[in-house]
């Protein structure tokens, strides 16, 4: 654009020089018309380039706004990812805690099972001992009854 402005000034300077020449009588009317046409052409080109620059500036502005929106979304996404990461980590810790608690409960259940088995074995042993003792008592009673009957029989005979 600066180059166009320089060229524009040169053409204006040439136009002024040409006017002076024509006033003095040295320039021709055709040269002046040609310079006007060149000046108008340069001005038209300059206007077109200015319009193109404005369009490009609008595009740059739109892209800048879009980039800022994307940066904001990116920051929001990063924040969401960080929160999600924290949640995952919390869930992982909770899961580990639950697994540890589950293992503890499994251990307790196994211990209770073992204690119950020992109690059942003890009860079975006591029942066997009771049954054995009942059998012994029953045998003793039977022997005592036989002795009693023998004693009674011996007393009758005597």
């Amino acid at each position: 654009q600066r180059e166009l402005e320089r060229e524009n000034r040169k053409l204006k300077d040439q136009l002024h020089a040409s006017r002076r020449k024509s006033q003095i009588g040295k320039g021709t009317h055709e040269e002046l018309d040609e310079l006007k046409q060149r000046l108008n052409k340069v001005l038209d080109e300059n206007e077109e380039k200015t319009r193109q620059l404005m369009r490009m500036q609008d595009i740059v502005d739109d892209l800048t706004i879009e980039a800022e929106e994307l940066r904001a979304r990116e920051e929001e996404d990063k924040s969401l990812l960080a929160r999600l990461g924290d949640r995952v980590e919390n869930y992982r810790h909770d899961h580990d805690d639950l697994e540890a608690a589950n293992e503890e409960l499994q251990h307790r259940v196994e211990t209770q099972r073992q204690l119950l088995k020992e109690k059942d074995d003890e009860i079975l042993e006591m029942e066997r001992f009771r049954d054995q003792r009942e059998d012994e008592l029953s045998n003793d009673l039977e022997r005592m009854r036989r002795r009693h009957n023998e004693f009674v029989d011996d007393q009758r005979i005597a």
Side-chain angles (χ1 to χ4, degrees):
Q1 189 169 359
R2 288 183 181 169
E3 206 174 291
L4 289 173
E5 289 174 2
R6 281 187 211 133
E7 191 175 326
N8 195 8
R9 277 191 221 125
K10 281 183 188 177
L11 289 174
K12 283 183 182 179
D13 290 344
Q14 287 177 355
L15 181 63
H16 288 317
S18 172
R19 282 184 184 163
R20 278 189 228 130
K21 285 181 185 177
S22 68
Q23 289 174 355
I24 300 173
K26 295 182 180 175
T28 65
H29 188 53
E30 289 175 6
E31 285 178 8
L32 184 59
D33 286 342
E34 183 182 324
L35 283 176
K36 281 183 186 179
Q37 286 176 355
R38 284 177 48 195
L39 179 62
N40 286 335
K41 183 178 177 184
V42 168
L43 288 173
D44 289 344
E45 287 174 359
N46 190 21
E47 282 180 30
E48 180 60 29
K49 287 183 181 180
T50 301
R51 279 191 293 257
Q52 287 177 348
L53 282 173
M54 289 174 62
R55 280 190 296 246
M56 285 183 194
Q57 184 62 42
D58 289 343
I59 291 171
V60 167
D61 290 345
D62 291 344
L63 290 174
T64 302
I65 290 169
E66 186 177 340
E68 288 173 0
E69 290 171 353
L70 290 174
R71 275 191 213 107
R73 279 191 216 149
E74 181 180 6
E75 290 301 317
E76 186 178 318
D77 289 348
K78 284 179 183 178
S79 173
L80 289 173
L81 281 173
R83 286 178 36 211
L84 182 60
D86 290 343
R87 280 187 181 174
V88 166
E89 191 62 28
N90 288 339
Y91 289 143
R92 187 173 296 130
H93 288 301
D94 290 347
H95 180 72
D96 292 344
D97 292 345
L98 287 173
E99 279 185 348
N102 188 36
E103 286 178 22
E104 176 65 24
L105 289 173
Q106 288 294 334
H107 178 70
R108 285 181 184 177
V109 165
E110 191 58 38
T111 302
Q112 292 297 322
R113 263 196 206 124
Q114 186 64 31
L115 289 172
L116 284 173
K117 185 178 181 304
E118 289 173 7
K119 286 290 182 185
D120 284 346
D121 291 347
E122 189 177 311
I123 289 171
L124 285 173
E125 182 65 30
M126 290 180 86
E127 285 176 352
R128 273 194 297 265
F129 178 74
R130 186 195 70 210
D131 289 345
Q132 183 182 2
R133 187 72 180 134
E134 282 179 357
D135 287 345
E136 287 174 3
L137 288 173
S138 181
N139 288 338
D140 286 347
L141 279 174
E142 186 60 37
R143 252 184 288 136
M144 287 175 80
R145 202 180 348 224
R146 265 188 263 135
R147 274 190 186 166
H148 178 66
N149 287 339
E150 286 174 7
F151 180 73
V152 169
D153 284 343
D154 284 344
Q155 289 288 326
R156 273 192 211 156
I157 297 181

